[in-house]
Amino acid sequence: MNKFKLAVSAIAMLAVTGVANAGEIVIKFSHVVAENTPKGIMANKFKELIDQRLAGKVRVEVFPNQQLFSDKKVLEAMLLGDVQLAAPSLSKFGKYTKILQVYDLPFLFQDMSAVERFQSGEQGQMMLKSLQSKGLIGLGYMHNGMKQLSANNPLLVPNDAAGRKFRIMSSNVLKAQFEAVEAVPLKKPYSEVFTLLQTNAIDGQENTWSNIYSKKFFEVQDHITNSNHGLLDYMVVTSAEFWNGLDADLRNEIQKSLDEAVKIGNAAAEEKSQSDMKRIVDSGRTTVHELTKEQRDQWVTAMKPVWDQFAEEIGQDVIDAAIASNK
Ligand code: SIN
């Protein structure tokens, strides 16, 4: 074998085995969404920044679209050391803590500025530590945006949802939210939603404009309501064992790069909540409905009793702080 062939085969071997340079720390970042979403953009930006700043010391490998783990499995895998970073939706932490359920309460946050105010306040910051007893550390929040309702029939008033099956994330609050309008909620992984909709195994779902666009849900749903009835936000998490085992300077550098990447991801979230909605409207594949004030009030009246159902598990003080963030 000549020198060139030897070098090529050595590179190929490295790619196949994933062997890192001696002493290089590998951060596997697993997520379930597409790369052209706020979280996908954030993860790739984080990798880019680490490549620029910590080459040879830290290597980030990003696995989008559930290539590595589903959100159901990722936190267990993290505790086993099989993955170092993830950013599941706040709706998916119910097995680990109840306090984060506040983020799922329907019609709680007026807009993303209210979410920002709440998260940067005392309660929001305290919640980043709510997973510590389970061996996990919240490194920060990251936005996607407000959720919209979709189905094959128009959803203009709560009764339009009655008796219909909706896919939900694994959250008891979201279950109660759909039961409040007499719909049938089904907890299913994100990776199955398109097929479930396409085959009519379910009637509808709730998600943000960027998720509805990037996973093509709009192509298999005749109607989407611009309901902004709930929030889809994330917590970037790592394991305490991994994080505390890092040298302090390195940890600071990684956190700094992560914070910068989250800012870029949040800017993408803001932009995509408009542009992906427009792409969907322009596609002509579905009808997007705006609610009148009277129609919206009906959804609020039907769903808001869910707040009381979860007040004890979440803590009324936490709910009050979230309400106050609306100003
Ligand atoms: C995500 O945005 O990470 C997935 C949300 C979902 O499961 O609907």
Side-chain angles (χ1 to χ4, degrees):
M1 217 185 275
N2 66 29
K3 271 188 196 159
F4 176 72
K5 278 188 182 159
L6 258 177
V8 169
S9 66
I11 291 167
M13 181 66 82
L14 192 68
V16 171
T17 59
V19 172
N21 297 333
E24 190 179 51
I25 292 161
V26 177
I27 299 181
K28 289 187 182 167
F29 190 157
S30 169
H31 68 82
V32 300
V33 290
E35 289 184 285
N36 62 336
T37 57
K39 186 161 53 182
I41 290 167
M42 179 274 275
N44 291 348
K45 185 71 194 177
F46 174 65
K47 177 182 166 45
E48 187 189 311
L49 292 174
I50 294 291
D51 282 351
Q52 279 167 15
R53 295 169 183 176
L54 295 172
K57 291 187 190 160
V58 180
R59 178 155 57 88
V60 176
E61 295 174 356
V62 181
F63 299 88
N65 292 311
Q66 202 180 304
Q67 279 166 15
L68 204 54
F69 294 109
S70 66
D71 279 334
K72 194 171 173 197
K73 291 268 174 255
V74 75
L75 298 180
E76 285 165 32
M78 188 170 275
L79 291 170
L80 293 171
D82 293 336
V83 60
Q84 287 68 40
L85 267 191
S89 147
L90 294 169
S91 312
K92 296 181 180 172
F93 287 93
K95 216 173 115 186
Y96 295 84
T97 176
K98 297 292 174 213
I99 202 165
L100 294 175
Q101 293 182 124
V102 68
Y103 290 104
D104 280 341
L105 295 178
F107 298 104
L108 177 59
F109 294 103
Q110 259 165 15
D111 51 30
M112 296 310 292
S113 305
V115 177
E116 283 273 348
R117 280 191 290 273
F118 177 67
Q119 290 178 339
S120 56
E122 194 188 326
Q123 303 276 10
Q125 288 300 299
M126 173 270 286
M127 285 182 193
L128 290 174
K129 300 186 184 123
S130 64
L131 303 160
Q132 261 176 5
S133 65
K134 304 288 190 300
L136 297 168
I137 296 183
L139 298 177
Y141 294 104
M142 140 109 221
H143 304 320
N144 187 319
M146 290 293 176
K147 289 181 292 187
Q148 320 303 334
L149 289 165
S150 76
N152 278 328
N153 63 301
L155 297 168
L156 300 178
V157 292
N159 199 39
D160 294 335
R164 296 184 193 275
K165 291 185 204 145
F166 286 84
R167 176 270 173 172
I168 54 164
M169 293 182 271
S170 56
S171 151
N172 290 341
V173 177
L174 299 180
K175 182 168 175 282
Q177 167 195 279
F178 278 100
E179 284 169 352
V181 295
E182 289 170 29
V184 184
L186 297 165
K187 292 179 183 177
K188 295 284 178 190
Y190 187 58
S191 58
E192 290 178 20
V193 181
F194 181 85
T195 308
L196 289 168
L197 293 171
Q198 192 183 37
T199 57
N200 293 317
I202 55 172
D203 301 298
Q205 62 85 49
E206 53 165 16
N207 228 305
T208 58
W209 289 113
S210 70
N211 280 353
I212 294 171
Y213 179 71
S214 60
K215 289 292 177 190
K216 301 188 180 357
F217 299 159
F218 70 102
E219 293 185 4
V220 286
Q221 293 276 263
D222 291 339
H223 299 273
I224 306 177
T225 301
N226 191 19
S227 52
N228 292 320
H229 64 283
L231 171 73
L232 175 54
D233 225 69
Y234 308 113
M235 191 188 285
V236 185
V237 276
T238 187
S239 84
E241 192 179 345
F242 169 72
W243 195 244
N244 295 331
L246 292 172
D247 167 82
D249 288 344
L250 209 52
R251 202 161 53 218
N252 288 341
E253 276 298 317
I254 295 171
Q255 179 80 59
K256 210 172 115 211
S257 298
L258 186 65
D259 292 345
E260 284 179 45
V262 164
K263 274 204 184 108
I264 305 268
N266 285 346
E270 201 178 334
E271 192 272 323
K272 283 179 170 295
S273 66
Q274 303 296 317
S275 62
D276 283 349
M277 175 182 170
K278 186 170 181 322
R279 285 185 184 103
I280 290 170
V281 171
D282 291 349
S283 76
R285 300 285 293 260
T286 186
T287 305
V288 175
H289 302 273
E290 297 295 335
L291 295 174
T292 63
K293 181 174 175 333
E294 290 70 27
Q295 288 167 337
R296 192 175 158 83
D297 286 350
Q298 283 192 49
W299 288 97
V300 175
T301 304
M303 288 181 164
K304 218 169 149 182
V306 169
W307 296 16
D308 287 340
Q309 281 179 52
F310 289 87
E312 205 177 315
E313 283 186 9
I314 296 167
Q316 191 58 50
D317 55 329
V318 175
I319 298 178
D320 289 343
I323 296 169
S325 70
N326 286 322
K327 292 214 160 150

